[in-house]
Amino acid sequence: MNTWKKVRPKVFWTVIVIFSAYYLYRAILFRFFNEGTGPTFWNKQFLFVFHLFTTLAPLILGPIQFWNKFRIRYVEWHRLLGKIYIVGSLLGGLTALILGITQPYEGSIVPVVILALLWLFMTTSAWVTIKRKDIKNHRLFMIRSYTLALTFVVLRLLGDLVYKANLLFFIHSEEVKDATYEWMSWVLPLLIVEFWISWVPALKKR
């Protein structure tokens, strides 16, 4: 039992890193080689490229920032990387908001816009709480922020399950199906995270 408790975090983060790397590769292929980014540099090309590079910061730095030994042993590095994470997330959230508003798929506008706003809120809250020395709530908001940063991973995973494993077989409209799993891509992970960091601890309190 003790051995599993020690190994469990390593297994969890290994899976997160592998899935993130794989689906980042898939996302780059889809956006920059298959579907394309627009006919001109300013016709969304800049936004897509800028969004990609800004979101690399939270994607790469997330596992490092949650690494207990690193956080305790290298406090100054943790603070510096935390600032880079926050800047990358805020810029990524802003570009996601613009891309969400201006995208051509009507059913995807609302879930992407709400996702972007929530990501901006959670990241800003993480920054505000650490400035107040509220480490406990800073950690909780960082967990939520990183969960939302991983939405593109869940989105691609659900896309595979929907179109290769027929997950939403009961939905016949392709547009409704796309909008449904786009909602699921961030709502489900956020609900799972809230279950473990908020609801279960609240129920255990006496």
Side-chain angles (χ1 to χ4, degrees), residues 144-193:
R144 296 177 180 114
S145 172
Y146 184 64
T147 300
L148 294 173
L150 289 176
T151 293
F152 86 93
V153 176
V154 183
L155 178 66
R156 296 293 174 186
L157 177 61
L158 284 175
D160 285 347
L161 292 175
V162 167
Y163 288 106
K164 294 181 180 179
N166 204 20
L167 177 64
L168 300 176
F169 63 91
F170 51 90
I171 299 177
H172 302 291
S173 169
E174 295 298 322
E175 291 184 6
V176 175
K177 190 177 292 186
D178 288 345
T180 299
Y181 81 78
E182 285 188 3
W183 277 104
M184 292 170 61
S185 67
W186 65 264
V187 172
L188 289 181
L190 198 58
L191 284 175
I192 293 171
V193 164

Side-chain angles (χ1 to χ4, degrees), residues 93-106:
L94 286 172
T95 50
L97 180 62
I98 298 171
L99 288 169
I101 294 172
T102 58
Q103 68 174 301
Y105 309 107
E106 293 180 355

Side-chain angles (χ1 to χ4, degrees), residues 1 8 32 34 46 54 69 77 103 128 131-132 135 137 159 171 173 195 204:
M1 188 67 178
R8 185 170 56 190
F32 294 95
N34 296 337
F46 172 76
T54 53
K69 289 184 179 180
W77 274 105
Q103 68 174 301
V128 170
K131 294 294 288 184
R132 294 176 178 174
I135 296 175
N137 283 310
I171 299 177
S173 169
F195 177 80
K204 287 182 178 180

Side-chain angles (χ1 to χ4, degrees), residues 35-167:
E35 184 172 282
T37 56
T40 66
F41 181 75
W42 293 111
N43 185 6
K44 289 194 176 182
Q45 283 188 11
F46 172 76
L47 283 174
F48 279 125
V49 174
F50 191 72
H51 179 70
L52 171 65
F53 281 103
T54 53
T55 53
L56 283 176
L59 180 66
I60 295 172
L61 296 179
I64 299 174
Q65 291 298 88
F66 288 112
W67 185 9
N68 288 332
K69 289 184 179 180
F70 177 84
R71 186 172 66 250
I72 295 171
R73 188 174 298 179
Y74 304 102
V75 178
E76 293 301 321
W77 274 105
H78 176 71
R79 290 173 180 170
L80 175 62
L81 296 180
K83 292 176 182 177
I84 297 173
Y85 174 96
I86 288 176
V87 171
S89 293
L90 291 177
L91 292 175
L94 286 172
T95 50
L97 180 62
I98 298 171
L99 288 169
I101 294 172
T102 58
Q103 68 174 301
Y105 309 107
E106 293 180 355
S108 302
I109 294 174
V110 175
V112 174
V113 167
I114 295 178
L115 164 63
L117 291 174
L118 276 175
W119 191 16
L120 290 169
F121 172 75
M122 297 301 179
T123 305
T124 303
S125 299
W127 179 75
V128 170
T129 48
I130 197 59
K131 294 294 288 184
R132 294 176 178 174
K133 310 296 183 183
D134 186 355
I135 296 175
K136 178 182 178 181
N137 283 310
H138 167 72
R139 178 177 175 273
L140 295 178
F141 279 118
M142 280 294 293
I143 292 173
R144 296 177 180 114
S145 172
Y146 184 64
T147 300
L148 294 173
L150 289 176
T151 293
F152 86 93
V153 176
V154 183
L155 178 66
R156 296 293 174 186
L157 177 61
L158 284 175
D160 285 347
L161 292 175
V162 167
Y163 288 106
K164 294 181 180 179
N166 204 20
L167 177 64

